[in-house]
């Protein structure tokens, strides 16, 4: 089975996947949000979605995905086939050896089902990033990303050259267990994806011949230029013989179009609070409707929500079809935000039905 390229299901133009931020709505707990994630992972697995990724964020009350590896281990215990991965791990926040150990453990728990998506942004504000990295020289982490990536890859493959300071260090679980006396451990490890919202990771993924995931859901104006750059830069590798790019897409399908509009207002208010340094729980539509928006806030919300494909199922399908035609993406990874978990699950159900995805 091809671990990277998915299989088209039903009438979808490309394989469909899921990006989960484990949204915590006001009046709800992180436990509620994580139960929704399990329900959603199991449901989308049954309907033929290709992969389910969890995104690393920090110091955001409305996002309970600060520890992707922990969540993925939990999801692995509740699913059987769907690919599970990080969308992504923000590598500058971590020692590469730690990530190799975490994802080697995940590979042991769910063999041949794990993806390692990597980004170079902090996934949070500057002060929190400084606390994570124990330094305020944040630019160095981003600038060193190619070197960190190389180090991580060598830990995953257990192939530091003789004489390297790390040549006697091994990520466990990992390939060294297969070469030790009596070892039968597979040398297989999770495929690496590079994530980005600009041209840096697009070019790097292309040069290295790796699959690329672009954050269309919050950087839509850069999508086509980044994908073009990735394809132009691509060099065939042992991983891929041709470019493979997915895009993250914000969607919300509802039975009632008015409900979609109400949830989008709440989404917009949530982003206003985040962008102004006041992150909180995901507000309810009632909270959003009661909030007196300034002209600046209203303009921001309208601009943000313009990139969310929303409405009834046929409208969302048409929007996704059009986006695929405009970008030529090889896969679309859908992320749905709503105050209530059941609305998020219902959004994927409506989209799956609209495309005639499998029902078992």
């Amino acid at each position: 089975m091809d671990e990277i390229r998915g299989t088209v299901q039903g009438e979808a133009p490309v394989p469909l996947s899921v990006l989960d931020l484990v949204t915590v709505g006001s009046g709800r707990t992180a436990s509620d949000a994580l139960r929704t994630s399990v329900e959603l992972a199991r449901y989308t697995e049954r309907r033929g979605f290709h992969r389910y990724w969890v995104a690393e964020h920090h110091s955001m009350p409305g996002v309970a995905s600060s520890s992707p590896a922990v969540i993925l281990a939990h999801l692995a215990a509740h699913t059987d086939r769907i690919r599970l991965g990080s969308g992504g791990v923000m590598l500058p926040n971590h020692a590469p050896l730690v990530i190799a150990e975490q994802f080697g453990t995940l590979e042991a728990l769910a063999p041949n089902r794990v993806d390692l998506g990597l980004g170079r942004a902090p996934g949070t504000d500057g002060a929190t990033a400084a606390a994570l990295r124990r330094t305020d020289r944040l630019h160095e982490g981003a600038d060193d990303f190619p070197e960190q990536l190389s180090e991580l890859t060598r830990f995953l493959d257990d192939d530091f050259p003789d004489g390297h300071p790390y040549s006697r260090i091994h990520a466990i679980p990992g390939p060294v267990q297969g070469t030790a006396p009596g070892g039968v451990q597979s040398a297989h490890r999770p495929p690496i994806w590079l994530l980005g919202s600009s041209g840096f990771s697009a070019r790097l993924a292309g040069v290295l011949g790796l699959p690329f995931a672009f954050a269309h859901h919050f950087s839509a104006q850069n999508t086509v230029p980044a994908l073009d750059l990735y394809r132009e830069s691509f060099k065939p590798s042992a991983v891929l013989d041709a470019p493979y790019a997915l895009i993250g897409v914000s969607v919300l399908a509802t039975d009632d179009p008015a409900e979609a509009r109400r949830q989008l207002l709440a989404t917009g208010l949530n982003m206003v609070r985040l962008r102004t340094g006041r992150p909180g729980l995901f507000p309810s539509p009632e909270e959003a409707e009661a909030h007196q928006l300034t002209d600046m806030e209203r303009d921001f919300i309208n601009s943000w929500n313009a990139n969310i494909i929303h409405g009834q199922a046929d409208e969302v399908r048409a929007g996704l079809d059009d986006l695929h035609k405009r970008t030529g993406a090889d896969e679309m990874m859908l992320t749905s935000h709503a105050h209530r978990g059941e609305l998020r699950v219902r959004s994927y159900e409506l989209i799956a039905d609209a495309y005639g995805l499998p029902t078992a």
Side-chain angles (χ1 to χ4, degrees):
M1 181 180 296
D2 191 322
E3 292 187 297
I4 294 174
R5 300 174 182 86
T7 301
V8 174
Q9 303 287 346
E11 299 172 359
V14 291
L16 301 179
S17 293
V18 180
L19 176 63
D20 186 6
L21 272 62
V22 196
T23 304
V24 185
S26 61
R28 287 161 172 79
T29 67
S31 297
D32 296 330
L34 289 164
R35 279 192 292 269
T36 295
S37 292
V38 170
E39 179 184 357
L40 184 57
R42 296 179 70 177
Y43 178 78
T44 51
E45 177 177 72
R46 292 196 303 271
R47 297 304 304 268
F49 285 75
H50 181 50
R51 67 183 97 238
Y52 194 107
W53 282 3
V54 179
E56 176 185 342
H57 292 81
H58 299 279
S59 197
M60 299 179 189
V63 179
S65 58
S66 59
S67 301
V70 176
I71 297 171
L72 294 171
H74 185 59
L75 296 179
H78 289 84
T79 56
D80 299 307
R81 301 180 309 278
I82 196 168
R83 295 196 63 79
L84 301 170
S86 55
V89 162
M90 301 296 106
L91 186 55
N93 293 343
H94 311 277
L97 175 57
V98 171
I99 299 306
E101 291 173 335
Q102 290 178 355
F103 278 77
T105 302
L106 288 169
E107 176 66 24
L109 289 169
N112 301 301
R113 283 211 289 145
V114 177
D115 298 324
L116 175 49
L118 301 169
R120 68 187 189 108
T124 188
D125 61 90
T128 306
L132 285 164
R133 302 178 189 181
R134 304 197 60 80
T135 178
D136 58 3
R137 300 165 72 176
L138 301 181
H139 67 281
E140 293 183 1
D143 293 345
D144 291 345
F145 181 78
E147 290 74 22
Q148 294 172 325
L149 173 62
S150 176
E151 183 179 311
L152 171 59
T153 303
R154 288 197 175 277
F155 275 125
L156 288 169
D157 291 334
D158 197 57
D159 68 351
F160 282 102
D162 291 341
H164 191 282
Y166 297 160
S167 63
R168 295 174 63 85
I169 300 172
H170 310 286
I172 308 294
V176 69
Q177 293 169 307
T179 59
V184 294
Q185 179 79 28
S186 169
H188 180 271
R189 51 87 162 169
I192 289 176
W193 288 69
L194 295 193
L195 281 59
S197 58
S198 63
F200 181 93
S201 291
R203 184 186 298 278
L204 184 60
V207 169
L208 297 177
L210 295 175
F212 178 55
F214 186 80
H216 173 82
H217 53 298
F218 64 80
S219 188
Q221 71 277 10
N222 292 324
T223 303
V224 171
L227 294 184
D228 286 346
L229 181 59
Y230 169 60
R231 292 163 183 147
E232 292 165 2
S233 304
F234 186 85
K235 296 180 180 179
S237 68
V239 178
L240 284 174
D241 58 4
Y244 190 88
L246 70 75
I247 56 174
V249 188
S250 284
V251 298
L252 184 65
T254 57
D255 295 287
D256 179 4
E259 182 60 36
R261 291 191 293 271
R262 296 180 73 235
Q263 293 294 331
L264 257 64
L265 180 61
T267 297
L269 178 59
N270 185 60
M271 289 306 303
V272 165
R273 291 173 174 173
L274 180 61
R275 291 297 176 88
T276 55
R278 299 173 291 123
L281 298 172
F282 193 97
S284 69
E286 292 76 18
E287 289 177 72
E289 289 166 348
H291 181 82
Q292 297 297 312
L293 295 173
T294 66
D295 290 343
M296 186 176 297
E297 288 174 338
R298 185 174 292 103
D299 289 344
F300 173 84
I301 289 174
N302 289 339
S303 175
W304 182 265
N305 288 346
N307 292 316
I308 301 176
I309 300 173
H310 66 279
Q312 292 179 298
D314 58 342
E315 297 174 281
V316 172
R317 172 176 170 164
L320 289 171
D321 288 346
D322 178 67
L323 180 61
H324 172 251
K325 290 176 183 176
R326 288 190 286 113
T327 64
D330 299 293
E331 185 174 330
M332 291 190 288
M333 178 167 275
L334 313 182
T335 183
S336 290
H337 303 288
H339 176 256
R340 303 198 313 276
E342 59 267 30
L343 287 177
R344 294 179 58 229
V345 176
R346 179 60 175 161
S347 178
Y348 290 95
E349 180 180 1
L350 289 168
I351 293 168
D353 288 346
Y355 278 121
L357 300 192
T359 57

